[in-house]
Amino acid sequence: MKNLSYLLVIVLVAAACSAGKGSLFNKKDIDLKGLIGTWQRKNEQKFEKWALVSPTECIGVAYDMSTGVASIDENMRLFKMDNTWIFEVKHKEHDFKPVQFAWQPDPAYRMRFVNEKNDYPQVIWYKVKSDSTMTADISDIKGGNLVMFDFIKSQKK
């Protein structure tokens, strides 16, 4: 019986190892509903507004209201393509040309998107929290040049 227990442990460890890198991460699908709405960057007049298009797609716009008139900084789209979530960003600094990031979940951020070929950022994280706050972080692939954005859910529609 003791040998059977050891054999079972060895089989389970071997199966876990052969499942591949990242198999222990939470790969639960992305829930777009938490992202929907208007988010204001803390202590700034900058916003992100997200709208649900379908259960597998939402669109967003980042805009600046500091001058009293909306100035669009970027258009965003989060969608599922061939069982992979894609985060597409069209930023004004790049003439609104699309850059796509592929979903790579990790234990802390379910919405983590990576594009190693992009100059910067190469990683984008979103974390919607239960207290009506959200963080969005960008960095290079090694976690350097980290820029963090803190948002609060806005009542503005």
Side-chain angles (χ1 to χ4, degrees):
M1 186 67 174
K2 200 174 192 181
N3 289 338
L4 183 60
S5 295
Y6 288 130
L7 181 60
L8 183 58
V9 168
I10 290 171
V11 168
L12 289 173
V13 168
C17 291
S18 68
K21 183 180 177 185
S23 64
L24 299 177
F25 290 155
N26 181 356
K27 291 191 177 183
K28 185 178 177 184
D29 218 6
I30 293 174
D31 179 13
L32 300 176
K33 292 176 190 164
L35 189 58
I36 304 310
T38 302
W39 299 87
Q40 181 175 5
R41 247 195 254 173
K42 288 185 179 176
N43 304 315
E44 295 186 51
Q45 287 297 308
K46 295 189 176 197
F47 299 84
E48 281 191 12
K49 185 169 187 171
W50 288 91
L52 191 64
V53 174
S54 75
T56 58
E57 181 180 5
C58 67
I59 55 174
V61 61
Y63 59 98
D64 185 341
M65 290 294 295
S66 60
T67 64
V69 177
S71 171
I72 296 176
D73 293 330
E74 64 186 325
N75 293 305
M76 300 162 290
R77 181 174 169 228
L78 181 53
F79 62 99
K80 198 169 194 179
M81 181 174 63
D82 300 327
N83 279 339
T84 300
W85 285 97
I86 304 295
F87 185 78
E88 183 178 83
V89 177
K90 297 177 184 177
H91 200 279
K92 72 178 182 181
E93 289 182 4
H94 298 102
D95 299 321
F96 292 100
K97 292 178 183 166
V99 178
Q100 293 185 342
F101 297 79
W103 181 47
Q104 290 187 356
D106 72 20
Y109 290 86
R110 180 164 292 140
M111 289 191 284
R112 178 180 182 262
F113 304 92
V114 177
N115 179 340
E116 292 185 37
K117 294 179 182 177
N118 194 42
D119 290 339
Y120 183 85
Q122 294 172 318
V123 182
I124 299 173
W125 294 275
Y126 272 87
K127 187 173 190 175
V128 179
K129 302 173 189 174
S130 61
D131 64 352
S132 296
T133 63
M134 175 175 75
T135 58
D137 302 337
I138 60 174
S139 75
D140 61 30
I141 198 68
K142 295 180 181 179
N145 297 321
L146 178 67
V147 179
M148 301 169 60
F149 305 98
D150 292 316
F151 292 88
I152 54 173
K153 194 96 177 224
S154 173
Q155 300 304 319
K156 187 183 276 191
K157 297 289 177 189

